[in-house]
Amino acid sequence: MSTPVDLPRMDRRKAIQWMLSTAATVAARDTGLHAAESTTTAPPLAKGYGPDPSMVKVYQPGDVWPLTLSEPQRRAAHALCDVIIPADASSPSASSVGVPDFIDEWISSPYPAQATDRRIVLEGLKWIDDEASRRFKKVFAELTDEQQTAICDDLCHPAKTKPEHKAAAAFFKRYRDLTAGGYYTTAEGMKAIGYVGNVASATFDGPPLEALKHVGLA
Amino acid sequence: MPVITSNTLKDTYDVIIVGSGAGGGQTAYTLTMEGVKVLMLEAGRSFDPATEVAMFQLPSHAPLRGVSTPDKQYGFHDCSINSGWNIPGEPYTNASPEPEHQFRWWRQRMMGGRTNHWGRISLRNGPYDFKPRTRFGAGFDWPIGYEDVAPYYDKVEMLVGVFGTNEGLENSPDSSPGVLQPAPKLRVGELYAQKHGQKVGAKIVPIHRAVLTKPQDADTLPAKLHPKNAKAQRILAEHMRMRAPCFWATDCHRGCAIRANYDSQTVHLRPALATENLDILPNAMAREVTIDKQGKATGVTFIDKTNGQERHAAGRVVVLAASSQESVRLLLNSKSALFPHGLANSSGKVGKYITDSVSSSVGAHIPAFENMPVHNEDGAGGPHAYVPWTLHDQNRNGELGFPGGYHLEFTTGRQMPSLTVVNGIDRLAGDGGVLYGKRLKEDARRFYGCNLGFGAQGTMLPNDGTYCELDPTLKDQWGIPVLRFHWKWTDFDLNQVRHQQKFITELLQAAGGKVSPKTEADIFKTMKPGGSVIHEVGGAIMGEDRETSVTNQWSQTWDVKNLFLADGAPFASTADKNPTLTIMALAWRMADHLMDELKKGNL
């Protein structure tokens, strides 16, 4: 993946931070992996968790196989997650509950079902930064909410999508599905969608009266 | 778990059981509680549901949000390890490349077998299910009737703990009074379907599942199950008191550390071990049943998977409970001068007449459920209700074009979200776009839990085109020849699936759902492939005579009198009921007969 040519100049301090964090991340993830290869869309060579993993352990992205995204890619991934699921008065944003890390874990998976998504997401994140630079002279993460929405609105109506945006629209749909799925499978996301189970209780009392009334059963 | 290694095998045992699932567990329990010395061989590793199952973990605590992968084929937290449709080093083959002739074979290589992860649906076969030829002029009559098995259904239900109600339904038998645990209250979707399903004649009643909804009666049940056996009563009472009732959370497929639901280890193997009459040897992959010159079984040769060495265990009696097709494979691989075509196969019927449930499903969005007041619908970790088969008159009149029937199982409720929880949301929102932002969050909440779906599981009578044999060339990683499957659906099965699709569609429409019925051209795509329901049984069917069947009514092989089967292999057909409860009832009945014969000196 090439760097967008028309990126705004970043300040020196930020550039050093990025370089350091990227280098540290790559070193920690897989010393055998060249930095250049970490951004290709070839399937990862890592191993899966095997047929007999500990089921009771709590896993974090990166625990079982190395992650992929470079720091600029991560910034785009974070920003797009939060356009798709922003914070509101009652629930947090997708990035604040770790959804970009999940997407990184997903596209870094060694299993075949995720291989197609790896290409779609990596090419899509590049496209969205390129498109942001073309239109607004900044990377996607640095755009205003309105500018980000303007790009996404061009992608979210398959019937109205311009021919040159077809691939980007397919990326947007898939990225939306991963973001929403990733979000609603966290504790915070479950609360946001209205799931209140997974707690032990002495009795199961059946539906409350207001639920029965809602569907005409009481 | 006090398990042994191949170096601490005793010289001989009364009975060797291959497999630790429902059938093997029940057999070991019945025998050891009565003082019989038993060795159990299990191909998988030891596994402890008390410490190894993930009950409360969220999908976000698992890699890839817990979705299925080649390593964990029912998802990360599903209580299956070293198990799957495809297991590295343990292949099987299909004779035909055509999709409708494919058989899929799930294997569970762990202590407790498939009982670790099943849905615990425990329906009795009815009188008609044992006599399909008499009733429908097709298939084979079992050599036993419902009345032969009924006392054992009662005993198994009391032992494992099954909730449900007695509804007095034709061919879906009641349990004896006092046997069933109380059924849990129904959820909104189940009640809603119960009301609106009446318009199309769907009767919706509490389902029967092997989950404790209250503590077991440890003061009275042990004496009913083990009269005149003080030791067995004491051990069982102690183990019943260790089990907690359901705490109304978590998916039963993940296993149950509090022992509220049945699995083989919790209910069968722990009391059996407490008798000190049971040795369990894990990591033992059975290769062959050995016989002497008189044609009696002498034991089992197995591969010790910890070191790759071949060993032999000796016993007076051998019971195969490896799962129906794995037991068939063992028989076919046990060749000798006396049995050149496989053990107990003088009839040529070993491997024949495999059946699975005939199954398809339909789902719909129910607009009435939108914006439901938030409430907890976890319940007993699985369905609380089902739609039993009631169209017996139409069947009698020959109006349906297929024998037997099917029951429907629910998908409904505000279940724990998975990665696919918003699938289809764009279609529901209706403007053809891809929702995102504030609107996505609002609509996700509005539409969550609004699905209602039914999966049908129905009768499959045996046919000549569905069988397995040894693959002529392929062997597994231990050099043991593998199975090759042949699968054929009959017109009965196809007609049944058409009926399932039409009836479920009508039922969902009666509940206000919008359904796009699948087209006739897609009938083979609509139905689940052979083996997919994991209800495969048969392959060593029981019958009235040695020419047409492999075992007698006691699951005892005609050819080798000290060789018995305790899994689904002796089933003469698949009922419209899930097979596990019947496997346990038949295993208990078989074990009682086995002990009688041992006492008489006949084995």
Side-chain angles (χ1 to χ4, degrees):
Chain A
M1 180 170 161
S2 60
T3 310
V5 287
D6 47 356
L7 267 180
R9 290 177 67 88
M10 80 175 71
D11 69 63
R12 181 182 153 77
R13 198 171 141 196
K14 194 180 261 179
I16 290 171
Q17 274 178 352
W18 277 18
M19 276 170 57
L20 288 175
S21 64
T22 305
T25 311
V26 169
R29 285 169 188 168
D30 190 339
T31 48
L33 203 64
H34 295 295
E37 284 173 3
S38 73
T39 57
T40 68
T41 58
L45 298 170
K47 283 186 177 162
Y49 46 68
D52 189 9
S54 168
M55 290 185 282
V56 295
K57 190 182 154 191
V58 172
Y59 294 81
Q60 303 291 334
D63 279 0
V64 189
W65 48 79
L67 302 182
T68 295
L69 296 183
S70 67
E71 212 49 44
Q73 288 169 325
R74 286 179 61 79
R75 280 165 53 84
H78 268 254
L80 187 53
C81 275
D82 286 354
V83 174
I84 291 167
I85 299 198
D88 58 22
S90 59
S91 53
S93 71
S95 73
S96 69
V97 298
V99 174
D101 295 333
F102 154 66
I103 292 175
D104 197 355
E105 176 195 49
W106 183 269
I107 63 160
S108 306
S109 157
Y111 299 111
Q114 284 75 32
T116 308
D117 287 333
R118 179 180 175 86
R119 184 181 54 74
I120 291 171
V121 169
L122 291 177
E123 290 178 0
L125 291 175
K126 172 175 159 41
W127 179 89
I128 211 160
D129 264 348
D130 288 352
E131 181 70 7
S133 301
R134 273 192 291 275
R135 284 206 219 175
F136 305 111
K137 310 298 177 205
K138 288 179 179 176
V139 291
F140 186 74
E142 292 176 355
L143 302 184
T144 65
D145 290 354
E146 290 71 24
Q147 290 168 330
Q148 289 174 334
T149 302
I151 291 177
C152 293
D153 277 346
D154 285 348
L155 307 178
C156 75
H157 272 281
K160 302 176 198 163
T161 306
K162 293 178 190 165
E164 64 268 29
H165 287 162
K166 288 285 183 205
F171 155 71
F172 184 74
K173 168 74 166 72
R174 188 63 192 136
Y175 199 88
R176 194 286 310 267
D177 285 347
L178 288 171
T179 302
Y183 181 75
Y184 290 118
T185 44
T186 64
E188 296 84 352
M190 288 179 185
K191 189 165 171 246
I193 207 171
Y195 173 74
V196 293
N198 208 37
V199 288
S201 61
T203 59
F204 178 73
D205 300 327
L209 188 61
E210 61 268 28
L212 294 173
K213 282 183 179 163
H214 185 79
V215 296
L217 290 169
Chain B
M1 289 282 290
V3 295
I4 64 164
T5 69
S6 59
N7 291 327
T8 51
L9 268 182
K10 297 186 181 73
D11 288 340
T12 189
Y13 293 86
D14 293 329
V15 177
I16 298 174
I17 301 172
V18 181
S20 64
Q26 181 64 60
T27 305
Y29 174 91
T30 305
L31 297 176
T32 57
M33 285 298 230
E34 299 299 331
V36 180
K37 301 290 184 188
V38 173
L39 169 70
M40 172 176 280
L41 303 176
E42 163 54 50
R45 76 158 169 89
S46 191
F47 178 84
D48 185 0
T51 58
E52 295 196 59
V53 304
M55 297 181 76
F56 285 98
Q57 263 84 334
L58 304 181
S60 55
H61 296 155
L64 304 176
R65 293 308 200 252
V67 298
S68 62
T69 67
D71 287 335
K72 291 276 290 178
Q73 293 163 33
Y74 263 111
F76 190 84
H77 287 137
D78 178 78
C79 195
S80 301
I81 57 167
N82 296 314
S83 305
W85 304 106
N86 301 298
I87 300 178
E90 300 193 43
Y92 59 92
T93 59
N94 272 287
S96 166
E98 298 301 319
E100 65 263 34
H101 296 303
Q102 297 283 304
F103 176 79
R104 306 178 73 207
W105 191 19
W106 179 271
R107 276 81 46 82
Q108 190 96 353
R109 299 285 191 238
M110 64 193 293
M111 190 73 74
R114 300 182 199 177
T115 68
N116 286 293
H117 84 133
W118 62 306
R120 275 78 181 181
I121 292 172
S122 301
L123 305 172
R124 295 181 177 205
N125 280 14
Y128 308 160
D129 301 320
F130 290 101
K131 303 293 176 191
R133 177 157 287 274
T134 300
R135 186 160 181 81
F136 305 111
F140 306 119
D141 284 352
W142 298 44
I144 51 177
Y146 173 71
E147 63 284 358
D148 296 302
V149 191
Y152 289 95
Y153 278 131
D154 277 348
K155 292 208 295 189
V156 168
E157 288 168 354
M158 283 189 275
L159 175 68
V160 307
V162 174
F163 75 65
T165 53
N166 285 329
E167 298 285 335
L169 296 166
E170 187 175 354
N171 201 43
S172 292
D174 288 347
S175 304
S176 292
V179 167
L180 293 176
Q181 291 233 325
K185 293 202 166 81
L186 304 191
R187 303 175 176 93
V188 171
E190 293 165 334
L191 290 166
Y192 191 80
Q194 190 175 49
K195 176 184 173 185
H196 294 279
Q198 290 172 7
K199 298 172 206 163
V200 295
K203 187 173 182 67
I204 292 173
V205 297
I207 199 168
H208 293 207
R209 292 184 60 231
V211 180
L212 300 185
T213 53
K214 65 171 192 180
Q216 281 182 297
D217 185 355
D219 296 326
T220 62
L221 291 179
K224 287 182 186 169
L225 295 173
H226 301 285
K228 299 177 199 162
N229 184 340
K231 182 186 175 188
Q233 290 177 25
R234 177 181 54 74
I235 289 172
L236 179 56
E238 189 184 317
H239 279 81
M240 283 185 161
R241 290 191 180 100
M242 286 184 204
R243 297 183 65 190
C246 184
F247 53 33
W248 314 108
T250 81
D251 178 357
C252 290
H253 291 88
R254 294 184 178 202
C256 192
I258 66 165
R259 305 184 177 187
N261 69 30
Y262 163 83
D263 66 63
S264 176
Q265 288 200 70
T266 293
V267 173
H268 285 135
L269 299 185
R270 284 173 183 273
L273 286 165
T275 66
E276 300 189 329
N277 293 322
L278 177 64
D279 283 349
I280 305 181
L281 177 59
N283 301 306
M285 179 72 197
R287 173 199 285 277
E288 183 180 356
V289 179
T290 52
I291 58 164
D292 62 16
K293 286 175 184 165
Q294 285 72 46
K296 276 183 71 175
T298 56
V300 177
T301 302
F302 61 91
I303 314 292
D304 181 339
K305 286 162 66 174
T306 64
N307 57 21
Q309 290 175 359
E310 187 169 295
R311 304 290 294 263
H312 184 259
R316 293 166 65 193
V317 177
V318 172
V319 176
L320 303 184
S323 88
S324 62
Q325 303 318 301
E326 198 65 53
S327 290
V328 163
R329 181 181 172 209
L330 255 170
L331 293 174
L332 292 175
N333 273 315
S334 302
K335 290 179 184 170
S336 60
L338 278 173
F339 297 101
H341 306 295
L343 194 58
N345 195 19
S346 66
S347 63
K349 300 293 187 188
V350 172
K352 303 293 195 291
Y353 310 127
I354 307 166
T355 51
D356 187 20
S357 293
V358 176
S359 182
S360 71
S361 60
V362 185
H365 172 79
I366 307 296
F369 296 174
E370 288 173 23
N371 289 316
M372 179 86 71
V374 168
H375 66 284
N376 183 341
E377 289 205 307
D378 278 2
H384 292 184
Y386 83 120
V387 187
W389 178 253
T390 53
L391 302 181
H392 300 288
D393 285 339
Q394 289 89 330
N395 243 336
R396 258 185 288 270
N397 298 336
E399 294 168 12
L400 297 177
F402 58 92
Y406 53 86
H407 75 262
L408 300 183
E409 296 177 9
F410 273 84
T411 311
T412 182
R414 304 171 71 80
Q415 299 167 347
M416 181 186 281
S418 67
L419 189 65
T420 56
V421 69
V422 301
N423 275 16
I425 193 168
D426 301 323
R427 183 175 41 78
L428 295 175
D431 66 356
V434 178
L435 287 180
Y436 74 97
K438 184 165 171 282
R439 172 113 189 266
L440 170 62
K441 289 180 97 168
E442 287 166 359
D443 280 357
R445 195 176 175 90
R446 172 184 169 192
F447 293 126
Y448 164 63
C450 292
N451 292 324
L452 181 60
F454 293 95
Q457 298 189 8
T459 307
M460 181 176 174
L461 298 185
N463 72 71
D464 288 332
T466 295
Y467 62 97
C468 67
E469 61 196 344
L470 291 181
D471 188 282
T473 55
L474 193 64
K475 295 180 169 65
D476 70 9
Q477 60 186 317
W478 300 287
I480 308 173
V482 307
L483 289 181
R484 179 168 69 179
F485 289 95
H486 301 252
W487 193 266
K488 182 173 178 288
W489 296 113
T490 66
D491 288 343
F492 286 152
D493 306 323
L494 302 180
N495 288 343
Q496 186 188 149
V497 169
R498 291 181 185 107
H499 196 276
Q500 291 173 359
Q501 291 289 306
K502 182 164 175 288
F503 183 63
I504 300 172
T505 297
E506 289 169 359
L507 175 53
L508 290 169
Q509 286 168 342
K514 291 184 180 64
V515 189
S516 311
K518 288 153 191 148
T519 60
E520 171 67 17
D522 285 337
I523 189 75
F524 287 117
K525 287 182 195 160
T526 300
M527 65 196 306
K528 291 193 180 168
S532 294
V533 190
I534 321 187
H535 287 166
E536 80 278 6
V537 296
I541 66 167
M542 60 167 63
E544 293 284 1
D545 64 72
R546 57 191 314 140
E547 280 74 44
T548 58
S549 59
V550 178
T551 83
N552 64 17
Q553 61 150 313
W554 306 104
S555 304
Q556 176 182 26
T557 64
W558 292 110
D559 294 346
V560 184
K561 65 181 179 180
N562 66 337
L563 176 63
F564 295 78
L565 296 164
D567 49 29
F571 276 46
S573 56
T574 290
D576 64 304
K577 323 293 195 307
N578 317 56
T580 307
L581 186 75
T582 302
I583 287 173
M584 290 193 269
L586 289 180
W588 197 325
R589 182 174 177 273
M590 177 279 289
D592 277 357
H593 176 72
L594 190 165
M595 285 189 289
D596 280 348
E597 292 290 286
L598 265 181
K599 280 179 201 154
K600 290 177 192 162
N602 289 342
L603 298 180

